[in-house]
Structures are given as C-alpha cells and as structure tokens.
Amino acid sequence: MKTAFRVVVPARHASTRLPGKPLADIAGKPMVVRVLERASAAGASEVWIATDHEGVRDAVLAAGGKVQMTRADHPSGTDRLAEVATALGWADDDIVVNVQGDEPLIDPALIAAVANALADDADAAIATAAHPIHAADEMFNPNVVKVVCDARERAMYFSRAPIPWARDAWADTRQVLPPELPVLRHVGLYAYRVGFLKRYASLTPAPVEHWEALEQLRALWHGFPIRVLRLDAAPAAGVDTLEDLIRVRAVFSAG
C-alpha cells in the first residue's frame, strides 16, 4: 500500500557558509527549484517550500511550486516545519518529510522510503536514515554524526563521538574499523508525524542536545521513538560550501 505523505523544503536564504544558497544557479535553475523538482518526483501529495525570503518565494512561484512564508527567527528546520503544518491545518496522523533545501541531488526514492519507514512503525514519531561507515577517519570525525540502533531499528543514541566504541580492538590502534562493528552514519533526512511536530516547539531542550549540537536528541530525551531506515550506501551529498556547489554544477552539466 502506497504511503500518503507531504514534503516540506525549508529554504533559508541567510546561510552562514554560503549566503543566498537557495538561489544559487545550477544549470540555469535556482538550487531551491532543483530540490523542488526532486521532491516532486517522490510521489508526495504536496510539496511546499518554506522560506522567510521573498526572492526564494518568487523563484519557486515562477517555477510553479507552492510556498509558505514562515518566521525568520526559527532555531531549526523542525520548528519551521511545525509552523507550516499548523498554518496549513494538517492532521496529527499525517506524515511530512523534511527535505533540506541544499539537496539538489537527493534521490526521490529515498524521500518516499523514509516516509514508508515511518508509516510502517505505528509507534514512531520520526523516521530518518543511516548508512554503514567503512573508514576510520569518518568514525573519528566529529562532523560525521553516528547512530546506534536497537533490535527494532530504532535509534538508541546519536553522537558526534565514535559510537559504538570498540574497546578491545582500539586498545592498540585506531587506524582501522573492526569489520563486524555496526557503525552507522546518520543521514539528515526526516519524516515526521504532524502531531509530533506540533508538540516539538514546546519540548524543553535535552542537556545532551546542547553539548552534541544535535536537535534529534530532544525527541529521544522525551521518549519519542525514531525509526532508522538502513541504507546500503551513502546518498549523494548536499551543498554546504562553494566547493560543493561547483561539484553539483558539474554533475548537472555532465547530465
């Protein structure tokens, strides 16, 4: 049975690393429109761009997309999604996928798969994705977020630290990963039940959330299960820097 879901793409114009990122040109179209096209191919009933910038709004409308203007002071994309879901009157049981506005290469099938993962776990509030890590430098990189799952493929904890810790294997060297170590890298794609989104803003931040700088820990802290979809390999990377933008432009030019 096909899962019914919506997609919201938060698109902040004031990016710290790459200002004006949603409007950056990629083969003749703004990045936000490229993401809109990918999300629209995922089978969602609706795709909305959530932004606080008129230039982004105008670019999306010119491409035939839907836009919801949101406040400029949201601390996270989750809060922006909550505003959209409330403003548009979506039901608590509805599923909405948060697709980042800097993911012009995202696979539409992955968007649908995360929505399906949440639909298949009736008690979960959120679904996300992860893939295996094979290199030790990734394991020990604090910019790579790791996740450990339980037997039901639900997240036990997310961390920038190397988890799980291979105590005996790393007693002598940390240059390689033990081949059987279940190491997963978190992918920042989320599906939410709207009822959780409406509660999110009222949840007090978790102490570990502050130290790890990972907002998904707030859900775990308050007892909301997060289902993790296990991927075979890493999806295409998004755009954080100018170098990333050059790489993505090359992909579209080659295609």
Side-chain angles (χ1 to χ4, degrees), residues 1-9 35-48 66 81 84-85 88 90-100 106-120 125 127 189-194 197 229:
M1 181 176 177
K2 183 179 177 181
T3 298
F5 66 97
R6 297 180 174 90
V7 171
V8 175
V9 181
V35 178
L36 171 65
E37 291 172 344
R38 293 279 175 151
S40 298
S45 60
E46 294 181 289
V47 179
W48 289 82
K66 297 180 179 180
L81 254 70
V84 173
L88 297 178
W90 295 342
D92 286 355
D93 289 337
D94 288 353
I95 291 175
V96 55
V97 180
N98 178 358
V99 175
Q100 297 299 323
I106 191 168
D107 185 352
L110 176 57
I111 299 172
V114 172
N116 288 330
L118 183 56
D120 290 342
L189 176 67
Y190 296 96
Y192 299 95
R193 297 193 194 279
V194 169
L197 279 176
L229 173 68

Side-chain angles (χ1 to χ4, degrees), residues 2-194:
K2 183 179 177 181
T3 298
F5 66 97
R6 297 180 174 90
V7 171
V8 175
V9 181
R12 288 183 65 250
H13 187 267
S15 169
T16 303
R17 296 188 193 178
L18 194 60
K21 183 164 59 173
L23 297 179
D25 180 81
I26 299 177
K29 296 181 182 181
M31 183 187 305
V32 67
V33 173
R34 292 294 184 185
V35 178
L36 171 65
E37 291 172 344
R38 293 279 175 151
S40 298
S45 60
E46 294 181 289
V47 179
W48 289 82
I49 307 299
T51 187
D52 55 6
H53 191 271
E54 292 181 357
V56 175
R57 177 199 64 193
D58 294 344
V60 173
L61 292 177
K66 297 180 179 180
V67 180
Q68 180 68 26
M69 296 299 290
T70 58
R71 297 188 348 237
D73 60 347
H74 284 302
S76 72
T78 308
D79 294 284
R80 200 174 301 277
L81 254 70
E83 181 183 351
V84 173
T86 301
L88 297 178
W90 295 342
D92 286 355
D93 289 337
D94 288 353
I95 291 175
V96 55
V97 180
N98 178 358
V99 175
Q100 297 299 323
D102 56 6
E103 298 279 355
L105 296 176
I106 191 168
D107 185 352
L110 176 57
I111 299 172
V114 172
N116 288 330
L118 183 56
D120 290 342
D121 191 333
D123 295 325
I126 306 170
T128 189
H131 65 84
I133 291 176
H134 302 290
D137 59 343
E138 285 191 71
M139 182 64 166
F140 291 97
N141 183 348
N143 295 316
V144 173
V145 178
K146 278 71 67 173
V147 58
V148 173
C149 299
D150 66 13
R152 295 170 294 178
E153 296 287 41
R154 290 180 178 175
M156 295 171 64
Y157 191 66
F158 296 86
S159 183
R160 299 181 183 278
I163 57 171
W165 183 259
R167 185 195 66 174
D168 296 336
W170 287 334
D172 298 322
T173 178
R174 299 177 187 174
Q175 301 303 310
V176 296
L177 294 182
E180 301 302 320
L181 189 67
V183 182
L184 293 174
R185 177 175 186 165
H186 179 232
V187 175
L189 176 67
Y190 296 96
Y192 299 95
R193 297 193 194 279
V194 169

Side-chain angles (χ1 to χ4, degrees), residues 126 145-146 155-160 163 190 200 204-224 226:
I126 306 170
V145 178
K146 278 71 67 173
M156 295 171 64
Y157 191 66
F158 296 86
S159 183
R160 299 181 183 278
I163 57 171
Y190 296 96
Y200 179 81
T204 56
V208 289
E209 173 188 353
H210 167 74
W211 294 105
E212 294 266 19
L214 297 174
E215 65 176 272
Q216 63 268 40
L217 291 174
R218 187 180 310 184
L220 293 183
W221 178 261
H222 289 279
F224 292 95
I226 300 177

